[in-house]
Amino acid sequence: MGLPKFVQLIDVGPRDGLQNEKQPVPAEVKIGLVHRLQQAGLTEIEVTSFVSPKWVPQMADAPAVMAGIERQSGVRYSVLVPNMKGWEGAVGCKPDEIVVFGAASELFSQKNINCSITESIERFAPVVQAALEAGVRVRGAISCAMACPYEGDVAPERVQLVARLMRQIGVQRVDVADTIGAATPRQTQAALEAALKHYAVDDISGHFHDTYGQALANTYAALEMGIWNYQSSVAGLGGCPYARGATGNVATEDLVYMLHGMGIETGINLERLVDAGQYISQTLGREPNSRAARALLNRRGVVHA
Ligand code: HMG
Ligand code: MG
């Protein structure tokens, strides 16, 4: 199969990227980041989460962030929702898409959302139904699709099971997530093949954290299978509070550099994307965690090695 000619990216930096940030990040900064991402040409942005502020304090300002965004037409704004309480908080903020988030590993499900996989599906079902009735799209994240910080390697059959359960309750598309960024390309392909048993290739996205530096290789392996939707995080921000030591998603800048170099279109302006990454990195007091961004900034003479 030839590689896709176009890749659709969802920048998850404002959500996955910032959720684990220890220092308080004001809502205005999060809003400023979303604005810069849309100016750079991102047409899908995962903005925030409607989760318990006791579990993830950094996302407690979700309504303020959603309210402060000047929406651009053609951009889809998504938010994480784990249960009905989350949906009740989210619906008034008019997200274009919600993300219910489950896991292929039992222990990760317990640690992350405090319930078993079966219970999580029971909680998601009414949320999915309410969202679809309200005309809001529904995506489902399958965490620990290849490896789990508590259980080790995860069998593809587990991914297939969760994909089937998500399909049954009406989830429209799924993210196959390497939460701890430990997978290698063949493992990634096996997890994606498992998801493909229940979802079309157009309805599966790759969500690869880059802890072990495998995310670009895993993306290439997924491209070979025709997968053309990916999630990435500007400036490589992030990590999951319930997967200690896991670093951020692959940096959007690195992914865009690779894709454009391969002649694959994204609709994203790489220089503007670097500006967005520079904005949030400077605010957080660090350099962008993106090799491509640092190289491009070096060329501009902003960062000196
Ligand atoms: P729980 O404690 O089992 O919930 O948490 P509960 O229903 O028993 O309620 C306990 C308290 O939480 C109550 O408040 C509820 O009102 C409140 P109290 O009466 O004690 O004052 N509560 C809520 N508050 C606000 N929003 C809500 C909500 N629900 C209950 N939605 C819960 C269950 C799921 C809420 C909790 O475990 C939680 O919030 N977990 C957060 C998990 C999270 O955000 N993880 C990071 C995102 S997932 C991720 O990063 C992975 C991903 O990137 C893919 C990948 O890389 O793998 C997507
Ligand atoms: Mg993640």
Side-chain angles (χ1 to χ4, degrees):
M1 182 190 291
L3 298 182
K5 293 192 170 29
F6 176 82
V7 156
Q8 176 69 36
L9 294 182
I10 305 181
D11 200 293
V12 297
R15 195 283 301 171
D16 205 339
L18 294 178
Q19 70 182 6
N20 205 26
E21 194 56 50
K22 294 289 168 283
Q23 54 180 305
V25 182
E28 305 82 71
V29 170
K30 296 171 181 168
I31 294 161
L33 177 60
V34 170
H35 288 165
R36 282 164 179 80
L37 289 171
Q38 60 195 21
Q39 278 156 17
L42 267 300
T43 51
E44 292 204 51
I45 304 173
E46 199 170 275
V47 177
T48 186
S49 308
F50 287 83
V51 295
S52 162
K54 287 188 195 134
W55 286 62
V56 186
Q58 187 65 257
M59 297 286 108
D61 58 2
V65 174
M66 285 299 282
I69 296 169
E70 280 180 35
R71 297 202 185 187
Q72 200 170 287
S73 70
V75 178
R76 187 182 287 166
Y77 304 88
S78 53
V79 301
L80 264 59
V81 170
N83 54 16
M84 275 316 275
K85 183 158 174 96
W87 166 250
E88 283 153 17
V91 61
C93 299
K94 303 213 172 311
D96 298 300
E97 182 173 57
I98 60 156
V99 185
V100 292
F101 49 106
S105 130
E106 276 296 345
L107 281 177
F108 188 80
S109 181
Q110 289 289 352
K111 298 269 186 197
N112 194 41
I113 50 175
N114 207 24
C115 64
S116 69
I117 294 172
T118 308
E119 285 163 344
S120 74
I121 297 292
E122 283 163 10
R123 284 184 195 179
F124 298 155
V127 175
V128 174
Q129 198 185 339
L132 294 176
E133 278 167 14
V136 175
R137 296 177 55 90
V138 180
R139 185 149 53 84
I142 306 177
S143 284
C144 298
M146 303 82 160
C148 167
Y150 312 104
E151 292 184 12
D153 282 352
V154 173
E157 292 71 34
R158 308 293 304 168
V159 179
Q160 194 176 326
L161 170 72
V162 179
R164 177 166 64 77
L165 295 173
M166 286 196 171
R167 178 102 223 174
Q168 278 170 359
I169 60 168
V171 171
Q172 293 167 303
R173 55 179 185 154
V174 286
D175 309 334
V176 174
D178 181 11
T179 312
I180 57 170
T184 48
R186 295 281 175 250
Q187 262 179 308
T188 301
Q189 288 181 330
L192 291 166
E193 267 157 26
L196 278 164
K197 303 261 194 253
H198 298 286
Y199 283 90
V201 70
D202 295 346
D203 296 326
I204 295 176
S205 55
H207 177 112
F208 306 139
H209 285 259
D210 202 25
T211 318
Y212 288 79
Q214 303 297 301
L216 284 180
N218 291 337
T219 303
Y220 190 86
L223 285 168
E224 283 189 324
M225 297 173 67
I227 303 288
W228 58 279
N229 287 277
Y230 296 92
Q231 286 147 32
S232 56
S233 180
V234 67
L237 294 171
C240 175
Y242 299 99
R244 193 166 352 152
T247 62
N249 290 77
V250 63
T252 311
E253 297 92 317
D254 292 358
L255 201 47
V256 168
Y257 180 83
M258 180 182 90
L259 293 167
H260 289 184
M262 293 167 67
I264 298 174
E265 286 176 29
T266 64
I268 293 167
N269 179 315
L270 182 54
E271 291 293 338
R272 284 193 166 191
L273 178 64
V274 169
D275 292 340
Q278 178 74 337
Y279 163 78
I280 189 65
S281 300
Q282 279 179 343
T283 308
L284 298 173
R286 62 176 83 120
E287 279 190 15
N289 190 15
S290 155
R291 302 274 281 268
R294 289 206 298 271
L296 289 165
L297 287 167
N298 261 325
R299 255 189 11 201
R300 287 184 194 173
V302 175
V303 171
H304 299 283

